[in-house]
Amino acid sequence: MKSKREVQSSVKDESLISKRRNQMIQGAVALFKQKGFHRTTTREIAKEAGFSIGTLYEYIRTKEDVLYLVCDSIYEEVQERLTALPTQAGTLDGLKTAIRHYYLLIDEMQDEFMVMYQESKSLPKDALQYVLKKELEMVAIFEDILQACRKSSELQLSEDAVKLAAHHIVVQGQMWSFRRWGLHRDLTIEQFINQQTTFFLQGIQGNGGKA
């Protein structure tokens, strides 16, 4: 696993660092969504977060650091939520539960997901590589769940189909964020989850995971 990218801080109190950076993330997401990453200044982020520009620079060094923290917070939350689920390994109920929790998280963090996909290209190379690695780790969570269902014969899938199906689950859920302008007029999040899960299972069960 790629080691976590360090964001330098002159403050040593870890709880205070976490608190201030969470405030920055919330302020930055609102601004990046409204103005975009490049048109937003660090002074505006500090103001939105509720402290001075001097305080901001005690916890980060660049505006790109803030964008990285936004992206990393998403993956940390996904990892925490999905690994804490009750064990139902190798069952369709377990798969459905994981999908539901992941999609509910996307609903809670719609703006964060939107900002991540619109602005992550602005990250420096090392930070972008880390973020892309974390994206693949998120996909791997669903690969493991699908693989367990395959081994228990709950799903008839080839090895290649497992990998593609895992990507499909992840992107299918993120659609709730970047297509919300159209989806939210017609569907609640529960309806979205139920219909997308049905579409997904019908698709992979209907052809045995074979093209």
Side-chain angles (χ1 to χ4, degrees):
M1 182 182 296
K2 192 176 180 67
S3 60
K4 192 176 183 70
R5 182 178 186 268
E6 182 181 357
V7 176
Q8 293 185 1
S9 170
S10 59
V11 177
K12 303 305 179 186
D13 186 331
E14 292 296 332
S15 63
L16 188 56
I17 291 173
S18 177
K19 177 181 177 180
R20 293 299 189 213
R21 286 182 174 173
N22 283 334
Q23 290 173 309
M24 284 181 211
I25 289 168
Q26 295 306 311
V29 165
L31 289 167
F32 293 164
K33 177 189 170 188
Q34 176 188 355
K35 302 178 63 175
F37 173 77
H38 291 291
R39 292 177 57 203
T40 299
T41 67
T42 50
R43 189 172 297 279
E44 288 172 326
I45 294 172
K47 182 178 179 181
E48 189 74 17
F51 40 77
S52 70
I53 186 69
T55 299
L56 180 99
Y57 280 116
E58 291 178 357
Y59 297 92
I60 54 100
R61 290 293 176 266
T62 67
K63 187 170 64 171
E64 286 78 9
D65 282 344
V66 182
L67 178 57
Y68 164 77
L69 291 172
V70 170
C71 297
D72 195 49
S73 70
I74 293 172
Y75 297 121
E76 290 291 327
E77 192 66 28
V78 170
Q79 187 80 17
E80 182 178 328
R81 293 279 189 97
L82 294 186
T83 55
L85 291 177
T87 301
Q88 296 173 291
T91 68
L92 287 182
D93 283 344
L95 173 61
K96 291 176 183 177
T97 297
I99 291 173
R100 184 171 189 276
H101 278 74
Y102 173 56
Y103 288 8
L104 285 174
L105 176 60
I106 292 171
D107 184 54
E108 292 175 26
M109 302 180 74
Q110 292 176 52
D111 290 344
E112 286 89 340
F113 273 93
M114 180 70 76
V115 165
M116 180 178 69
Y117 281 102
Q118 287 180 334
E119 306 295 352
S120 59
K121 62 184 180 295
S122 299
L123 289 167
K125 184 177 180 180
D126 66 318
L128 180 58
Q129 288 177 339
Y130 174 82
V131 166
L132 293 177
K133 180 67 162 52
K134 295 295 286 186
E135 177 84 3
L136 292 178
E137 288 175 10
M138 187 164 64
V139 172
I141 292 173
F142 285 102
E143 274 191 49
D144 290 343
I145 294 170
L146 290 166
Q147 193 66 260
C149 288
R150 177 177 179 267
K151 289 179 179 178
S152 68
S153 298
E154 285 279 285
L155 292 174
Q156 301 299 315
L157 290 169
S158 67
E159 286 283 353
D160 289 342
V162 165
K163 294 180 181 298
L164 183 57
H167 280 280
H168 186 80
I169 291 171
V170 169
V171 175
Q172 184 175 263
Q174 292 166 356
M175 173 179 163
W176 182 247
S177 173
F178 57 75
R179 296 288 295 183
R180 59 184 172 182
W181 56 269
L183 292 172
H184 293 199
R185 294 179 298 180
D186 303 315
L187 297 170
T188 65
I189 181 58
E190 290 295 344
Q191 290 171 326
F192 177 80
I193 292 169
N194 291 337
Q195 290 187 26
Q196 290 285 50
T197 303
T198 298
F199 292 159
F200 175 75
L201 291 175
Q202 285 178 342
I204 61 176
Q205 290 176 317
N207 63 7
K210 298 178 181 178

